[in-house]
Amino acid sequence: DFWHYGGITRSVELHAVPEAGPLLWRAHVVPSSSAVEAEQPDGAPAAVDISLVLSGVEGGREELKGQGELGGKAESGGAVGGSPRCGGGAACPAPVYYFSLAFDGGEAVARNGTASGGTVRLEGVPVPDAKPWSPDAPHLHTLTVSMGGQSVTERFGLRRFGVDKATARLTLNGEVAKLVGWNHHTQWPVTAASPTDEQLDADIALLRKGGANLVRGAHYPHDPRWLDRLDEAGILFWSETLGPAVSVANTKDWAFFMVHQKRQLSEMIDNAINHAAVFAWGWFNEGPSDHPEACPAYGACSALARARDPTRFTTWADDHKTSGACYEHASLVAFNDYPGWYSSKSPRVWDGFAAAVAEGTTASGRHTVGKPMMISETGAGGVYEWGDNATASKWTLQYQSAVIGEDVDVALANDRISGISLWHFYDFKVDNCGSTWPCHGRPGQENGTHCTYDHPPPTTFEELRRLGPPNCTAIAPTFRPGGTNHKGVLDFWRRPKPAFAMVAAKYRAATGRPTASESAIIVQ
């Protein structure tokens, strides 16, 4: 249900690495004493757990390993100890690594440690002048690690996600939070899936204008530049692996599919673990969770994510809702449904879903009790140019606003619902054949509904400035009119529909979140 662009769509970096280790590759930084499913101290954390990821050492990052041995004379910031090959068959002592840590450009403090599996771990390291990260005050700290003439600088935030025992609501820094926002794909005018920095900044500004404190990254890991901006803007982010149209057969394929699924999940965590905005790791969007035989795959992903990073929620967007059988493996329960759009149900259906989670009456039984629940997708379509219809029929902007408004009202009023991410922030191009290619004689999602434009869509920024966005003068609305998903509160060109201002007012009233002009990005 989204267009897959070909080629290399993001920046690629090449690193020259020494043939002999150790190489300091990354420093992963997470808040201490912040496991989502464990007893937590009050408030925000003031210390961090640090994992120094090394290559060129036994058990290190495999694709970067050098060919030389450790051992010999200790250099400043290097390692001293044994090597993978020890004389006489004796057991090799663990190498000791010497390095320094400096927070926020301050004084470097000498430390040392041994590596296990190519990683040196430090727990409970105090952060000088620690300031918490939150949507209202997104303070960010930096850590510079130096070792053997090498250094890496990582940015992180001090915040703690958890669950309120009394209400099963999601908490941030010990306070019950209501998360409000949108799903967000990676599509932009002119640049497609390779946005400029200015386009990223413009979408962040629109999210802040919309009162959002939440973005769900649909349906794949997002650009690190985007995550940087979310960190700075104080907007929480749900990060998920590529995985629409996952089948039961996929989840039972442990020789191939699940090998690569777990690998991409681990790589996503590698790339995003230091981003303060990330509050959840997700996978298997609208997967086969209603089949108990698929649950071991959900469990394997959850076990991997919790082992790597217990400070975030584990979840997936589930369109089976109360029929989902795998929620024992989620620490955050999330439902996709479109009342008033794909069905005639009222948005009040969300009250029933929230009650089922709270009371343990889904197919997962008591495994949902005590866990926060959120709406991961809901919404309605509206064609941007169809705003002056005499009646509020389906596909009109009036109809879209009415449905979305009810969805948001229910989510904000229900104390059992921790958040809502509307589908979608803007209109976007879809893959005509959906998850099945080729179409095999089917008309596809576009179904012959080509839009008649008042001028051709611009393909360069110069054309866009000169001609402006195109307007659709005629279209026959059906499943995906013109090959576009029209559920955005903005159109593809980022022009707001009436639903945008309506939702923004509701979001800001519920959270007290200031407009973009009233808030400031805070970086240490």
Side-chain angles (χ1 to χ4, degrees):
D1 195 28
F2 60 93
W3 187 260
H4 296 258
Y5 293 93
I8 297 174
T9 59
R10 297 181 189 170
S11 297
V12 176
E13 296 181 359
L14 300 178
H15 292 258
V17 299
E19 290 187 0
L23 172 71
L24 176 60
W25 179 244
R26 289 290 307 274
H28 294 160
V29 187
V30 297
S32 300
S33 304
S34 298
V36 164
E37 297 176 276
E39 196 74 29
Q40 296 180 348
D42 293 334
V48 292
D49 299 337
I50 304 168
S51 297
L52 306 184
V53 182
L54 309 177
S55 70
V57 299
E58 190 71 10
R61 190 177 176 90
E62 185 174 357
E63 64 267 32
L64 295 173
K65 279 185 181 180
Q67 302 300 312
E69 298 181 27
L70 300 176
K73 185 177 180 180
E75 301 291 339
S76 174
V80 64
S83 77
R85 296 196 295 270
C86 298
C92 299
V96 178
Y97 295 92
Y98 295 85
F99 48 88
S100 66
L101 308 177
F103 289 96
D104 302 320
E107 181 181 357
V109 177
R111 299 290 297 260
N112 66 75
T114 58
S116 175
T119 301
V120 178
R121 292 179 172 83
L122 306 171
E123 295 184 354
V125 179
V127 178
D129 193 24
K131 291 182 174 63
W133 183 96
S134 72
D136 294 331
H139 293 281
L140 293 167
H141 293 275
T142 62
L143 169 66
T144 298
V145 183
S146 299
M147 186 183 81
Q150 313 161 42
S151 67
V152 296
T153 297
E154 308 280 5
R155 195 170 67 168
F156 65 93
L158 294 167
R159 80 285 175 274
R160 180 175 283 136
F161 304 115
V163 181
D164 180 65
K165 288 185 177 180
T167 63
R169 286 278 296 279
L170 182 149
T171 62
L172 173 57
N173 297 333
E175 300 291 330
V176 172
K178 182 76 83 170
L179 305 186
V180 295
W182 282 275
N183 287 265
H184 192 286
H185 265 304
T186 301
Q187 285 190 17
W188 277 265
V190 179
T191 58
S194 303
T196 65
D197 287 343
E198 291 76 14
Q199 287 178 306
L200 293 170
D201 291 337
D203 267 22
I204 290 291
L206 285 167
L207 284 165
R208 296 173 74 187
K209 185 176 181 180
N213 62 17
L214 165 69
V215 165
R216 175 175 171 234
H219 293 299
Y220 36 77
H222 280 222
D223 193 321
R225 297 178 299 150
W226 180 241
L227 271 60
D228 284 338
R229 287 161 169 79
L230 293 169
D231 289 343
E232 295 164 359
I235 299 175
L236 276 69
F237 186 71
W238 163 324
S239 185
E240 73 183 33
T241 58
L242 177 65
V246 173
S247 67
V248 173
N250 292 149
T251 64
K252 296 168 72 174
D253 181 2
W254 295 95
F256 182 81
F257 181 89
M258 285 304 298
V259 169
H260 292 282
Q261 165 60 25
K262 291 169 67 177
R263 177 175 179 175
Q264 69 154 328
L265 174 58
S266 189
E267 289 176 350
M268 178 178 74
I269 294 173
D270 280 341
N271 289 327
I273 193 168
N274 289 348
H275 287 281
V278 176
F279 80 102
W281 303 120
W283 47 85
F284 297 168
N285 173 67
E286 297 186 347
S289 70
D290 57 332
H291 292 266
E293 62 266 38
C295 291
Y298 285 83
C301 292
S302 188
L304 187 158
R306 287 168 174 162
R308 289 288 316 274
D309 175 28
T311 72
R312 270 90 168 197
F313 290 96
T314 56
T315 192
W316 55 89
D318 201 314
D319 63 339
H320 298 293
K321 301 173 285 288
T322 56
S323 297
C326 305
Y327 297 134
E328 67 177 289
H329 303 301
S331 52
L332 170 67
V333 179
F335 287 176
N336 289 2
D337 198 61
Y338 291 83
W341 186 252
Y342 292 131
S343 75
S344 60
K345 295 181 293 185
S346 162
R348 303 288 344 167
V349 71
W350 290 115
D351 291 330
F353 292 150
V357 171
E359 297 163 9
T361 59
T362 73
S364 294
R366 303 294 294 175
H367 289 298
T368 63
V369 175
K371 294 179 179 180
M373 177 265 184
M374 69 171 285
I375 300 170
S376 41
E377 286 184 28
T378 194
V383 177
Y384 175 80
E385 293 83 359
W386 202 353
D388 297 321
N389 205 51
T391 60
S393 59
K394 200 170 186 179
W395 295 104
T396 65
L397 301 185
Q398 300 99 308
Y399 187 92
Q400 181 189 44
S401 293
V403 172
I404 290 176
E406 288 188 63
D407 282 324
V408 172
D409 286 343
V410 172
L412 297 181
N414 192 316
D415 287 337
R416 286 173 162 173
I417 297 177
S418 284
I420 177 171
S421 57
L422 289 170
W423 189 271
H424 183 270
F425 194 49
Y426 53 84
D427 297 346
F428 61 92
K429 181 177 174 57
V430 302
D431 186 330
N432 190 43
C433 294
S435 61
T436 304
W437 184 266
C439 288
H440 297 298
R442 296 181 293 110
Q445 298 191 88
E446 187 173 346
N447 198 25
T449 57
H450 301 288
C451 184
T452 302
Y453 290 110
D454 58 0
H455 62 77
T459 59
T460 68
F461 287 119
E462 189 279 328
E463 286 183 357
L464 182 57
R465 284 190 294 269
R466 177 166 48 87
L467 301 175
N471 292 295
C472 187
T473 61
I475 195 168
T478 183
F479 187 56
R480 296 286 185 262
T484 297
N485 189 314
H486 287 272
K487 295 190 185 72
V489 294
L490 312 170
D491 78 346
F492 177 72
W493 306 92
R494 280 25 176 204
R495 295 180 293 186
K497 304 176 189 178
F500 176 72
M502 176 200 67
V503 172
K506 293 176 184 292
Y507 280 177
R508 287 197 295 268
T511 64
R513 188 157 172 77
T515 63
S517 61
E518 296 169 338
S519 60
I521 296 172
I522 304 171
V523 182
Q524 286 291 96

